[in-house]
Amino acid sequence: MTKLATRCKYWYASHNGAKARVMAMERYNHRTSESHWQKRWNDERVFEAKETFGKPKHYVLEMFPYPSGRIHVGHVRNYTMGDVLARYMRARGHNVLHPMGWDAFGMPAENAAIEKGVHPRNWTYENIAAMRRQLKSMGLSIDWTREIATCDPSYYRHEQEIFLDFLAAGLVERKISQVNWDPIDQTVLANEQVIEGRGWRSGALVEKRELAQWFLKITDYSDELLAALDGLHRWPEKVRLMQQNWIGRSEGLRFHFELETEQGSPVPPLQVFTTRHDTIFGATFCAVSPDHALTRELARSSLEIAAFRRECEALGTSEEAIERAEKKGVFLGLYARHPFRPGFRLPVYAANFILMAYGEGAIFGCPAHDQRDLEFAHNYGLDVIPVVAPAAADPATFTIGDEAFLDKDDAQAVLINSDFLNGMTVAQAKEEVARRIEKKGIGQRKLNYRLRDWGVSRQRYWGCPIPIIHCPACGIVPVPKSDLPVVLPDDVTFDQPGNPLDRHLAWKQVKCPRCGNAAQRETDTFDTFVDSSWYFARFCAPRADRPTDPAAIDYWMPVDQYIGGVEHAILHLLYSRFFTRAMRRTGHIRLDEPFASLFTQGMVIHSTFRTPAGEWVLPADAVERNGRWVHAETGEQLIVGPAEKMSKSKKNVVDPEVIIDQYGADTVRWFVLSDTPPERDIEWTESGVAGAWRFTQRLWKLVNEVTERPAEPSLNVLSPQSTALRRTIHQALHAVSLDIEGLRFNRAIARIYELANALTAALASPVKDAVSPAVLREGATILVQMFAPMMPHLAEEAWRLLKMPGLAAQAPWPAADPALLVEDTVTIAVQVNGKRRDEVTLKKGLPAAEVESIVLELDNVRRALDGRSVRKIIVVPDRIANVVVG
RNA sequence: GCGGACGUGGCGGAACGGUAGACGCAACGGACUUAAAAUCCGUUGGGGGAAACCCCGUGAGGGUUCGAUUCCCUCCGUCCGCACCA
């Protein structure tokens, strides 16, 4: 703030005497300008989206924010990118929908309630008000009439209705599942909230608990969600791969082993899943999960097995815990009969490395070809039978040491020690085993997915109530739609741990809608990811009586460009894709994929500062003096760390509000788009922001100077300089259009700099009137329109100065003159043996033969040839000529 | 372990297989100024040369090509996602 004020004063002081003309020009003042134009846009409802037909639509959406209370620079970057696109598409004649809302449920509101005694509702709505004001100060072209907040009953009532429809359609399931339970706070914790086995707030050792939870059956769509990824051409490859891995399809075989006790009496069979059925003759044991039904049952009569189960429960699921964990198990006293080796019995263990959640929670172990199985076999003295060997190996002597032999897709490997499989490749053996298992009727080929159903129950107050009533007589009863919304009660207390809804008897105790007897409400609320899984659909008709309005949703959906952080690559984006399909099934929407194009922007990072004592210092308190960073107040020298993700704990944060006040929204918008490609992390630097600020002033000055040139009506008779400048102008326009469409904002900005430089140079031309004032005007006008999406306020100010009609925000995008995009001459590089030796400017489209003779005459080429003979000449028309010397 | 991305000046980064370093930041020189700041004009990959120009140069090594930052292989490094997934 102080820095800038000082600058302004000097700026005026220096322009005296000879520069009186410049002094007459007012410096661009963002403080008065920006609020003025924001008001005009608002008053004239410039950005309200209309469903008028006859115009193509364009739906631009950025991931809506959680109302934490203040916007951060990541928001600024995200919303600026979307805004540039929205403004550009509007100028290109599209009906643009560019809405904003609030992902307003969630734990921070409850934590604030616990810590500060404020009501989550008040805390949330105050935060929304503060952030709305901040976002508006950015000058975003948002249709604020469509604003929604997920915590508003007018939003979540529809979510409840959708849920009831999902329930009726069989897309909802209630089942017992294992959760992370914090015994002090008495709540379920998400995996992310468990840090080294302890609750992130209470510090209590987290327990595994089994609770009845509501699940959305996303696994019904596993295959569809996976297959449809191929059609998402305008999604980043990276995100598609991440989702693909997350869904985790594997082709395998599910079959059962006959079981028997040690004495040989039969026991119900054991289902297993495998993708390596080719190794069936290498099987030397079977293993089941500690949580497998078989283990549970046997634990009731065996102290040893019960103890093993407890031991596994206590073991963390963290990465390190898994890394360190020995492969352990306990013999269950049972044997499995090998399907192809009569009389051969495999001991059955419960083992700590078998996941209940994957496949059947049971496997056959083949130590020779699976590292985990091998370690387990070594620990328990089990046989290791190699059954796959490199083709070159001698089957008689091939052995396995400490490393299992993993051949994967290697066609070189062949089966050994495997009866009817001997000599086959892995693929052939898999096929043969699958065929025989199916023929025996003991199993079948099966696709298995890693994806699991989505547990949406949270034992939390600040979330959307799940519209269900539990009746002792009728069981689970959906709340009738006519009773919606189930509104969160306001009068709740946070003085005790646990879910306040559970203690709110007046709310909890209801009559069963079916039988009329006393019943209880479901007190769990939805995971907040449910709220964000359909908000993009609600924006199409945010005040409709039904969750969606068919006409509006058919018109606007899908989102044409979705922009957000890559951290949502899996959860939010996968849930939304599932929700859209489930909403299609229940008649709320008529498409599968909500986001036609996805863009994941990088983070904003900043270097860190700390004192020698190790205390973190805010960038605002650090100043550079003589190339060293010191504390602004104490003068203490600071240790500068590399740029990293902004975090409150390391204090490497900048507050957008302060920067916007100091430099203006246009400058900040310009900065976050400049230099760095939008998908990469951008480093926030004070000098970069200052540079952007200087450019706003330069542009302002440039437009002023152009308008001071005497008007000249015609573009008909032009000097060569004028024509050349017009080419530059129109080529820049063409290039910037393509760059914005491709979201290559950094390149668009570089080209705007280039055009500004060209116009500045033309203005400064020593030859009087070398460039026609009409051309300068044309250039300035196009320049203003090109930067209008990025710096909309300055653009309006310049638009007014140029005496252009209406608002820049409503002006159509200028059309580049195709005639000016084609050059009639071209400068081509001339190489000798691939090394550049000269360049030559030629008429475009010159025949290769002529190019060849011209090239050979060049001094530099002759010198490089040095008397050697020319073998051939490669001529790429209008691009390059390469003389190849023998 | 599996999957993926990336590696170019002091820095951020440009470059349909075709003149490597556009554009910006920083730095340096100059003009203006009593002075500084701001502004404007220049220089700025390394080396050689008075200059014309020449040599080297996109993590390392190889390959394909008339020509490779770009395509292929191997290696090194950094980052990201998933991970006891049978």
Side-chain angles (χ1 to χ4, degrees), chain A residues 716-735:
Chain A
N716 287 343
V717 186
L718 293 178
S719 64
Q721 291 95 325
S722 290
T723 307
L725 184 59
R726 287 201 78 211
R727 277 189 200 288
T728 306
I729 293 164
H730 283 256
Q731 283 167 357
L733 172 60
H734 181 67

Side-chain angles (χ1 to χ4, degrees), chain A residues 530-599:
Chain A
V530 176
D531 312 334
S532 55
S533 290
W534 72 285
Y535 78 107
F536 45 86
R538 186 67 187 164
F539 274 137
C540 299
R543 313 288 173 245
D545 296 337
R546 300 289 324 282
T548 58
D549 174 80
I553 209 151
D554 285 351
Y555 182 75
W556 290 115
M557 288 295 289
V559 174
D560 294 279
Q561 182 65 61
Y562 197 34
I563 308 177
V566 74
E567 65 273 20
H568 295 108
I570 295 171
L571 296 182
H572 164 59
L573 290 166
L574 191 61
Y575 292 152
S576 297
R577 295 181 63 221
F578 156 66
F579 232 79
T580 303
R581 285 171 168 78
M583 284 174 76
R584 177 198 59 195
R585 185 142 133 198
T586 49
H588 291 285
I589 199 168
R590 292 198 295 186
L591 79 167
D592 291 336
E593 289 294 339
F595 312 122
S597 181
L598 172 72
F599 188 84

